[in-house]
Amino acid sequence: MTEPLRGDARRRMAAAAVVLALIVLAIVLAVLLRSPAGTSLQPAAPTSPGASTSPGPAASSAPPATTRPSTAEPSASQPVEASTPEAGQNPVQPPATVPPVPVPPPATDGGPGPEPDPVPPAAPFPSRLISQDLTVIPDAGRVVALTFDAGANAAGLPKILSTLSAKGVTGTFFLTGNWVDANPGGVKQIVSAGHRVANHSMTHPGFTGLDDGQIAQQVRGAEQTILAAGADPRPLFRFPFGERDARTIAAVNSLGYVAVRWTVDTLGWKGTSGGVSTQAVADRTLAALQPGEIVLMHIGSNPDDGSTLDADALPDIIDRISAAGYGFATLDALLAPD
């Protein structure tokens, strides 16, 4: 009886071992089947940059994918770099802190375009007079221009106007704006007698010490004042004190005026206290007699002695010039077309 029992025990132990082995195998299989996604029973092959890492059995057999620039518009959540846009991308707007460059709007079909540059006005005097401060009337023949500066008082004006009217002569009067403000009636008398009015600045300063803006104020100020008084000084201008240079002449030209100097200054403004007489004034004028002569005289009286030598000498001056075979002209003779 002892041997059969031992054989049965061995068989039972072998069966138990098989069962136990089966149980262990089942547990191992269960654990393997529940492993995390992305693991594989096969060893992972090395991947190149840009290869796909999608999970699943197909991942091991699919060819590696390569990356390409995206042409899709960025989503609202994606930041956009402020850089030059590549082809196919939407242009990137500049930061709001950068002001736009002002450019004129393009003309639309059938609509008005940008305003054209204004056409410059025609020159108010012949181009041959540009850059000059004229001392004679060119090509005028045997004529003389009598000119009278008004910057102080009007003491000599009644006698001057009376003489010119009696002799049938017209003259040119260079007026400052200040003189016009102080003598509006005198402007009317000059104009109503048929004489020419011209610009002598607003306040009679030396022009070479002024900048271009101040020159414009002087010239335009006098112009507006004279126009308001009923006369037009354009385009004749005389520098106060005769003080000028190339820059100031160019500035006056740019304002539409031709600069007119003189051939002879009678020096009547020096008065008797300065050693001048009516005879000396007339003699000086006749000594400079020539075709196109421009004579400088003054309306006001000498501030020291009150003399008005130019007004007093004027009848003799006109008679002697006429006797020499000369006539008289205003400075409008300068403005004949080229």
Side-chain angles (χ1 to χ4, degrees):
M1 296 294 294
T2 304
E3 286 297 330
L5 287 172
R6 289 178 180 173
D8 289 340
R10 285 196 292 269
R11 285 194 292 273
R12 285 195 294 272
M13 290 177 64
V18 170
V19 171
L20 183 59
L22 290 174
I23 291 172
V24 171
L25 179 61
I27 292 171
V28 171
L29 289 174
V31 172
L32 292 175
L33 290 175
R34 291 182 182 182
S35 61
T39 60
S40 176
L41 296 178
Q42 301 175 357
T47 59
S48 61
S52 172
T53 57
S54 299
S60 62
S61 60
T66 57
T67 57
R68 295 178 183 177
S70 172
T71 59
E73 295 185 8
S75 67
S77 61
Q78 286 181 293
V80 180
E81 291 185 17
S83 61
T84 303
E86 300 292 339
Q89 289 181 322
N90 289 334
V92 176
Q93 296 299 320
T97 55
V98 178
V101 178
V103 294
T108 57
D109 293 340
E115 289 292 331
D117 292 335
V119 178
F125 54 85
S127 59
R128 67 177 182 274
L129 305 181
I130 294 174
S131 301
Q132 298 190 57
D133 190 16
L134 294 154
T135 58
V136 296
I137 303 173
D139 305 318
R142 293 173 70 83
V143 296
V144 171
L146 301 179
T147 69
F148 306 87
D149 285 5
N153 57 54
L157 183 60
K159 189 169 186 178
I160 289 170
L161 291 178
S162 176
T163 299
L164 293 175
S165 176
K167 304 290 185 179
V169 174
T170 53
T172 303
F173 290 75
F174 285 89
L175 312 179
T176 67
N178 279 355
W179 190 92
V180 172
D181 280 338
N183 299 279
V187 179
K188 291 181 174 61
Q189 292 172 11
I190 292 169
V191 172
S192 62
H195 302 293
R196 182 64 158 94
V197 170
N199 191 324
H200 196 35
S201 82
M202 187 68 196
T203 63
H204 205 271
F207 267 44
T208 56
L210 305 180
D211 61 32
D212 288 355
Q214 293 169 325
I215 289 173
Q217 290 175 344
Q218 285 288 329
V219 174
R220 293 296 187 218
E223 176 183 297
Q224 294 303 314
T225 303
I226 295 169
L227 287 170
D232 191 345
R234 297 168 294 187
L236 302 171
F237 179 83
R238 176 170 284 162
F239 286 100
F241 310 108
E243 183 183 301
R244 83 283 192 239
D245 55 21
R247 178 187 68 86
T248 56
I249 293 173
V252 167
N253 289 163
S254 72
L255 297 170
Y257 285 86
V258 56
V260 184
R261 197 172 176 81
W262 53 82
T263 310
V264 60
D265 178 356
T266 66
L267 301 182
W269 55 271
K270 288 188 173 183
T272 55
S273 59
V276 181
S277 65
T278 56
Q279 183 69 40
V281 166
D283 289 347
R284 185 175 175 84
T285 302
L286 269 295
L289 185 60
Q290 60 181 286
E293 178 187 25
I294 301 173
V295 181
L296 168 61
M297 291 179 278
H298 287 80
I299 289 174
S301 60
N302 179 278
D304 296 324
D305 56 45
S307 61
T308 55
L309 296 182
D310 285 332
D312 297 341
L314 185 58
D316 189 33
I317 289 173
I318 292 174
D319 289 344
R320 292 173 64 181
I321 289 175
S322 298
Y326 282 77
F328 297 90
T330 68
L331 289 176
D332 282 332
L334 288 167
L335 309 178
D338 289 326

